[in-house]
């Protein structure tokens, strides 16, 4: 009897049959506006931000600060560079998830949406039992985060206590992948990643309202690891009038930034602002003998990568111009020019100043004081650069993303305005330090109790309002109401339960009362304000930024 070789041949073919395929998806077209704070930003679900053709929108204080931004991701699979990146299109992310084999949806249009949740959606449900369309349509089945309230993590039961995970006062959420179609910008094969993305903002008239926050959860749906992975944020700067800008970096603050070359901008007017980009949450660093988070300690437990490089893009087709191939994108995120040469300190970063020294941070000097290498001092002799349109990319990495693993990347865009164009840089640095110190609290969702108000049959509400502003840096106001005379004790505690301030300890009459809390020298972070009445107790969470 002749022996059959089909089982053996099938065994050899199975790995190839299981290889994920590139899809034929149409471009992702969904958009939404992030506008809870002082910024109005056009959010897209194709890997780009703020622009996909007119209009470009990252507007604050009457003018646009950014023309376009976008996410770059690159890495090696079997020693070959794979990338998903773009400048101004074609974009290399499509809407929807990948299946367990890493294949994109047959029809990506089914997922071409950006979902939204606002504080008032949850507030009105908890206090008035009104279910908004935002609340009802939250896409938990696709992985949109939910705070479990019914003890079952595998459902979304609003009546049972489940709620969308709100960050800030408005959160936008979308899902995308890089296998939906061919990569016409980088010319590379796809990475095989699924990305759960968020943008959120706080309603705040002060500094916090000038910041927008982002979170990208990158899932490797390949059977192979992605090594030497880098994640970058590209930005084409506007800052009002777009041809009078400079850029720089601050490695200790993990900050890439742009500022006006002089003290007058055609659209922002006198004392124009600065804008910065900083990674707040990245991947755990390996024991590589480096101080990756630049805190003065090498390879400490829990050390994370932080910002790896800041690179300026001159535009055009030269060796320091726009990236064209996947190798160019990958190199830029490592401070390497298109021709493979490393960034050198001094001048335009190509020839540098003797003695030649490699760096990963472009124009890393201090334009405020004029010290070292900046666009205000190109040659260490005080000679400035010529201002013009500016674009940059800031990146984190390298790291290995194993098959089925997730990497969570968080960053913030910070707009700051001082008394002049250089003082705006000083204010930006202070704001960046404050955001970095309080980032864990800023990315913490509120609890159900934070939304509860208790109506009473009285001329006054018996309750404890959320402090305003919150978060805050110097002081905040606490407001509460009493339906009758009561003994009131109002104190502030840290997260270890230690009392750090006693604001009220007295018998008070019925009515509405306020108390001011001065944060003084308390470190940034989360604190609890607790009011104890005759027979009730209320607690509110407060966030101090520095």
């Amino acid at each position: 009897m002749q022996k059959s070789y089909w089982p053996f041949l099938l065994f050899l073919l199975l790995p190839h049959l299981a290889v994920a395929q590139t899809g034929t998806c149409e471009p992702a077209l969904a958009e939404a506006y992030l506008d809870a704070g002082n910024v109005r930003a056009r959010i897209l679900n194709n890997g780009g931000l703020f622009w996909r053709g007119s209009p470009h929108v990252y507007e604050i204080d009457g003018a646009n600060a950014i023309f376009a931004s976008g996410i770059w991701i690159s890495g090696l699979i079997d020693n070959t560079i794979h990338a998903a990146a773009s400048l101004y299109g074609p974009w290399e992310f499509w809407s929807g998830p990948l299946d367990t084999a890493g294949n994109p949806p047959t029809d990506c249009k089914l997922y071409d949406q950006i979902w939204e949740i606002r504080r008032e959606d949850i507030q009105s449900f908890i206090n008035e039992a009104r279910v908004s369309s935002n609340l009802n349509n939250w896409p938990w089945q696709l992985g949109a985060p939910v705070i479990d309230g019914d003890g079952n993590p595998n459902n979304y039961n609003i009546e049972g206590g489940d709620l969308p995970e709100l960050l800030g006062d408005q959160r936008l959420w979308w899902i995308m992948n890089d296998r939906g179609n061919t990569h016409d910008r980088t010319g590379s094969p796809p990475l095989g990643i699924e990305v759960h993305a968020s943008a959120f903002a706080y309603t705040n008239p002060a500094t916090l309202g000038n910041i927008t926050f982002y979170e990208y959860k990158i899932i490797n749906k390949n059977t192979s690891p992605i090594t030497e992975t880098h994640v970058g944020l590209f930005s084409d700067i506007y800052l009002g009038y777009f041809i009078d800008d400079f850029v720089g970096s601050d490695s200790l603050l993990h900050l890439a930034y742009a500022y006006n070359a002089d003290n007058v901008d055609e659209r922002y007017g006198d004392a124009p602002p600065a804008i910065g980009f900083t990674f707040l949450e990245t991947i755990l660093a390996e024991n590589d003998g480096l101080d990756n988070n630049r805190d003065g300690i090498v390879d400490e437990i829990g050390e994370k990568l932080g910002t790896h490089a800041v690179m300026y893009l001159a535009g055009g087709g030269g060796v320091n111009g726009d990236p064209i191939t996947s190798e160019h994108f990958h190199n830029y995120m490592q401070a390497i020019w298109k021709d493979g040469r490393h960034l050198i300190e001094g001048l335009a970063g190509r020839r540098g100043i003797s003695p030649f020294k490699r760096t990963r941070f472009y124009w890393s000097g201090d334009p405020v004081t004029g010290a070292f290498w900046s666009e205000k001092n190109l040659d260490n002799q005080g000679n400035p650069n010529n201002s013009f349109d500016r674009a940059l990319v800031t990146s984190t990495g390298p790291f290995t993303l194993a098959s089925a693993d997730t990497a969570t990347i968080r960053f913030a865009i910070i707009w700051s305005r001082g008394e002049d164009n250089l003082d705006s840089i000083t204010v930006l640095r202070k704001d960046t330090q404050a955001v970095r110190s309080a980032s864990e609290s800023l990315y913490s969702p509120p609890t159900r109790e934070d939304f509860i108000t208790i109506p009473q049959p009285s001329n006054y509400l018996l309750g404890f309002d959320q402090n305003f502003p919150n978060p805050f840096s110097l002081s905040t106001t606490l407001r509460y109401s009493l339906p009758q005379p009561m003994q009131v004790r109002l104190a502030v505690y840290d997260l270890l339960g230690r009392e750090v301030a006693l604001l009220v300890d007295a018998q008070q009459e019925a009515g509405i009362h306020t108390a001011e809390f001065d944060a003084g020298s308390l470190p940034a972070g989360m604190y609890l304000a607790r009011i104890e009445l005759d027979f009730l107790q209320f607690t509110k969470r407060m966030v101090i930024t520095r």
Side-chain angles (χ1 to χ4, degrees), residues 163 252 260 306 484:
L163 290 173
L252 293 180
N260 218 73
Q484 61 192 49

Side-chain angles (χ1 to χ4, degrees), residues 136-147:
N136 195 51
N137 296 328
W138 190 245
W140 67 276
Q141 305 97 324
L142 298 177
V146 171
I147 296 177

Side-chain angles (χ1 to χ4, degrees), residues 423-472:
D423 186 54
S424 291
I425 301 173
T426 300
V427 176
L428 174 64
R429 288 170 174 157
K430 292 178 180 177
D431 293 343
T432 301
Q433 183 60 59
V435 169
R436 296 187 62 81
S437 298
S439 63
E440 185 174 345
S441 300
L442 294 170
Y443 277 82
S444 297
T447 65
R448 190 181 186 88
E449 287 71 26
D450 293 327
F451 298 100
I452 296 175
T453 59
I454 304 177
Q456 293 289 320
S458 166
N459 292 331
Y460 304 102
L461 292 178
L462 176 61
F464 186 26
D465 294 341
Q466 186 65 53
N467 63 299
F468 183 84
N470 186 49
F472 63 98

Side-chain angles (χ1 to χ4, degrees), residues 37 96 133 158 228 286 290 316 324 343 348 377 528 540 542 544:
S133 59
I158 302 174
E228 297 186 33
E286 298 177 358
L290 301 175
I324 299 171
L343 177 65
N377 181 19
L528 303 176
K540 292 293 181 185
M542 307 187 299
I544 297 175

